[in-house]
Amino acid sequence: MKVLVTGGAGYIGSHACVELMQAGHEVIVLDNLCNSHAAVLERIARIVGRSLELERVDVRDTGGLREVFARHRFDAVIHFAGGPAGASRRAGLPVG
């Protein structure tokens, strides 16, 4: 299966990418890297023995998402993307 993983360069998303790739799936990561680093994808590739593609797009960018979906035909999407940790506090939302 071809799987899009939003937030795939983050802690939870990167672990999901490893598991998916080890199970034989093709993984495309969609991440704007605001809370992560591209080096994470290099580490994933080292662990699983093959590279994965990064689409550096913010999940809130509808135009960017349209372009990604126009280039790829996904069988599944797994959503792990999130904003900066302090965003909820700054917005006055309850945390925890």
Side-chain angles (χ1 to χ4, degrees), residues 2-18 20-21 26-33 36-38 40-42 44-45 50-59 64-65 68-69 71-72 74 76-78 80-81:
K2 188 171 189 176
V3 182
L4 176 67
V5 179
T6 69
Y11 181 78
I12 296 170
S14 64
H15 284 77
C17 289
V18 168
L20 287 164
M21 292 177 76
E26 179 184 356
V27 173
I28 308 291
V29 169
L30 184 130
D31 204 305
N32 66 0
L33 303 178
S36 56
H37 303 279
V40 171
L41 304 178
E42 295 168 13
I44 293 170
R50 57 191 168 104
S51 62
L52 65 165
E53 184 178 338
L54 170 64
E55 292 283 355
R56 192 166 178 176
V57 175
D58 189 300
V59 74
L65 288 174
V68 170
F69 278 87
R71 282 194 301 278
H72 301 279
F74 298 108
V77 176
I78 303 175
F80 293 113

